[in-house]
Amino acid sequence: MPNTGDDIFVRTEWGELKECVYGWGQQYVFPKFLQDADVRPSGEFRQFWYDNQERDVREVDAEYFDRWSAQVEGAAEFLRSEGVRVHQPTYISDANMRYPRGENHGVLTGWLRDPFVTIGNNVIELAPRSLFHRRQRFSVRHILAETMERGARYFAQPDGGADDSHNDDETGWGYLEGGDIFVLGQKILIGHSGNASNPEGARWLQHVLGPAYDVEMVRVDRNFAHLDCVLMTPREGVAAICSVAMLDGAPDFFRDWDIIDVPYEISKVYLGCNNLIMNDHYVVMPAEEPHDALAAELKDRAFEVRRMPYGEVYVAGGSFRCAHQPLVRV
């Protein structure tokens, strides 16, 4: 099907970013510190989150909230200045904040990668394992529904319900989170750290996409939430990988690629692989010093690298890739 330029379609991770849903700097409530939160923050911020779980961050520390909000909104405005069409969520209601178990699982509107994914012309609401990601769909569903008028096949993965299950021996409950999913043409990689997406979710995605796509799971160190914490694919043939976090080594898909190895600490603490690919020669990365080495490696490979402060965001466990989910990337 020819693409008119306005059709919903994501071909690859390195395609030209034309349109996306991006994070919103207006609603930030620390989730309950369950297993899904435990794997994300590091250092002093980890304790800050733990001590203030279920509280509105604006009320806990207004100065930090303002810095966080400025970095999220600043990135969204930057994308608009680059000609990218940017959609942002709306408030999640008090009732939906307590979905699905009547407990306050918080909300992180700065991250919109996980509640859905776009693969080809498929816009798919996902069934996250993380309880605080499950309610995010309600803040963006009005955006997703509009894609039906623009060539998208819009549908949803069966919901996981109220169970907080992390036992992969159980069957019948498939989990998928957008941070685990990489669209590499017809090849789809799904991370499996034991914290988010699982084999049953991958089996379901292969079923709905059909034989035109090849879905493969990639085992990831359990200290990481998602595959995009340890992998970036800024161009066909070039990948940044935290190799020690790939439990079975890099997938065969990358066998002949130029691999930039990203240290474990940079990947875990500073989200070093979690960057924003504008196209196959232009990448947006945090301005903070721990990202200097990868930025230099990319520049050596003829990438334009734009640096923007983002440390107030990634300290919570998600950076630029976590903040956005593309609707058009061709």
Side-chain angles (χ1 to χ4, degrees), residues 108-321:
L108 297 171
T109 56
W111 300 340
L112 267 300
R113 168 66 57 167
D114 294 296
F116 79 99
V117 68
T118 311
I119 300 174
N121 71 329
N122 301 286
V123 175
I124 311 168
E125 282 191 32
L126 301 175
R129 176 170 251 164
S130 168
L131 288 163
F132 68 78
H133 282 315
R134 293 187 196 181
R135 69 209 30 76
Q136 287 179 316
R137 75 190 81 169
F138 304 125
S139 70
V140 297
R141 184 169 280 167
H142 64 291
I143 301 168
L144 306 186
E146 291 175 355
T147 67
M148 292 187 289
E149 310 304 319
R150 298 172 51 204
R153 297 177 65 243
Y154 169 47
F155 54 97
Q157 180 184 7
D159 188 87
D163 291 330
D164 184 23
S165 171
H166 296 274
N167 182 357
D168 282 332
D169 292 332
E170 296 177 8
T171 59
W173 297 116
Y175 298 110
L176 289 171
E177 299 191 5
D180 275 322
I181 302 174
F182 274 68
V183 182
L184 308 169
Q186 305 310 113
K187 181 67 150 183
I188 309 297
L189 296 182
I190 300 180
H192 178 41
S193 66
N195 297 301
S197 306
N198 67 359
E200 189 67 15
R203 187 171 79 93
W204 177 85
L205 187 62
Q206 181 69 81
H207 171 72
V208 299
L209 291 177
Y213 288 90
D214 177 24
V215 176
E216 177 184 348
M217 293 216 79
V218 180
R219 291 201 308 136
V220 176
D221 185 307
R222 196 176 182 92
N223 287 321
F224 293 89
H226 296 129
L227 182 59
D228 65 8
C229 298
V230 301
L231 173 66
M232 178 177 70
T233 54
R235 176 189 300 155
E236 186 171 14
V238 177
I241 297 177
C242 178
S243 58
V244 294
M246 296 277 194
L247 299 184
D248 300 311
D252 286 345
F253 184 82
F254 301 122
R255 179 178 301 168
D256 298 321
W257 285 36
D258 176 11
I259 303 297
I260 305 167
D261 194 31
V262 181
Y264 188 98
E265 182 181 10
I266 299 298
S267 301
K268 172 60 181 172
V269 178
Y270 304 103
L271 280 294
C273 293
N274 197 268
N275 300 305
L276 176 53
I277 300 164
M278 300 293 289
N279 54 46
D280 65 1
H281 57 272
Y282 185 12
V283 177
V284 179
M285 296 182 61
E288 288 78 11
E289 180 275 335
H291 302 270
D292 288 353
L294 178 56
E297 292 277 7
L298 292 171
K299 289 177 182 178
D300 286 345
R301 291 160 174 82
F303 285 93
E304 178 183 355
V305 179
R306 172 68 180 259
R307 307 288 295 276
M308 299 176 61
Y310 221 60
E312 304 290 1
V313 181
Y314 68 66
V315 71
S319 193
F320 283 117
R321 188 178 192 269

Side-chain angles (χ1 to χ4, degrees), residues 6-25:
D6 188 57
D7 294 337
I8 300 298
F9 202 88
V10 172
R11 191 178 307 279
T12 65
E13 296 289 320
W14 53 85
E16 182 87 28
L17 182 62
K18 299 287 190 181
E19 184 174 352
C20 70
V21 177
Y22 201 85
W24 189 46

